[in-house]
Amino acid sequence: MIFTVAIDGPAAAGKGTISKAVAAHFGFAHLDTGLLYRAVGAKVLAGGEPVAVARALDPVDLEDDSLRTPAVAQAASEVAVIADVRSALVDFQRKFAARDGGAVLDGRDIGTVICPDAAVKLFVTASAECRADRRYKELSGKGLDVTSEQVLADVRERDARDSSRATAPLIAADDAVIIDTSDLTIDAAVARAVAVVEAAKRAVG
Ligand code: DC
């Protein structure tokens, strides 16, 4: 059974949490596509050439805890602007989406570019302040030396770059269901996502 759930949205809106929960609920595989761009960004920070690095990316490169730092997030957002980097990563994502048993992919362009025919498209968003506040708590909880002002500025900078780039900008697909998590608990946001997927599953039988 091929059943793809595309979950897009800006940084720290809750797509990762929702994606993992939806995948666990339905027994689908999950791919955080941000990790692909983060892995390329990390290799570029280490001196690599973006397109060459993207073409040579290995799934093992995604299993690296150091990909979760703000510096790597910015580098990811910068390499994500390069059209040849994006096209080097398309096949891997589409193959993952078409795997037997169902798949959840979260990112920025899954419903618009990678899987325009996905069975379900969600666009998970929240206000910039709310997302920065969550990211600040997450990063400072990990012991990283950040200020809330700096995190909000980073979130805004990344939003602007991700939304304004020419290739595959961050935008909700016309047929996406929007979930604004600003005033939702995690459980409520997950329940909403699960209900949308459930309805789509019923519709395809
Ligand atoms: O989801 P994330 O914060 O880990 O993503 C890091 C960056 O990677 C993000 O700022 C933009 C880029 N990205 C993208 O352009 N397309 C995707 N499908 C996923 C991430």
Side-chain angles (χ1 to χ4, degrees):
M1 174 210 53
I2 294 175
F3 189 94
T4 308
V5 180
I7 305 188
D8 293 303
K15 8 174 239 312
T17 307
I18 291 175
S19 302
K20 281 190 208 108
V22 166
H25 185 94
F26 293 98
F28 296 161
H30 171 228
L31 177 65
D32 169 359
T33 65
L35 283 179
L36 298 170
Y37 296 90
R38 284 174 184 259
V40 174
K43 284 179 186 279
V44 168
L45 287 178
E49 195 282 316
V51 179
V53 161
R55 288 185 179 145
L57 206 66
D58 190 292
V60 172
D61 297 333
L62 311 183
E63 296 161 18
D64 182 347
D65 282 346
S66 67
L67 298 181
R68 294 278 168 212
T69 64
V72 172
Q74 288 298 339
S77 173
E78 281 164 29
V79 298
V81 172
I82 305 168
D84 285 348
V85 165
R86 304 198 69 84
S87 55
L89 303 175
V90 167
D91 267 7
F92 180 79
Q93 296 174 83
R94 288 198 178 139
K95 281 200 184 106
F96 192 97
R99 64 168 51 200
D100 195 24
V104 179
L105 284 81
D106 72 283
R108 302 291 188 289
D109 62 339
I110 308 303
T112 49
V113 174
I114 303 296
C115 305
D117 297 326
V120 180
K121 296 181 188 176
L122 301 177
F123 192 82
V124 179
T125 189
S127 70
E129 290 74 16
C130 187
R131 290 183 287 118
D133 188 52
R134 291 177 192 160
R135 192 42 62 88
Y136 171 71
K137 285 182 183 136
E138 179 193 328
L139 295 173
S140 54
K142 282 188 195 162
L144 286 167
D145 183 21
V146 287
T147 65
S148 51
E149 292 77 19
Q150 196 188 341
V151 175
L152 178 58
D154 278 0
V155 161
R156 289 213 164 108
E157 189 189 328
R158 237 166 15 115
D159 280 359
R161 196 186 298 111
D162 294 347
S163 305
S164 66
R165 67 181 175 226
T167 311
L170 167 65
I171 186 172
D174 288 341
D175 49 352
V177 174
I178 313 274
I179 300 180
D180 187 324
T181 64
S182 304
D183 299 313
L184 289 181
T185 62
I186 291 174
D187 285 353
V190 167
R192 211 168 276 191
V194 165
V196 175
V197 176
E198 193 75 66
K201 272 191 86 201
R202 246 183 279 122
V204 297

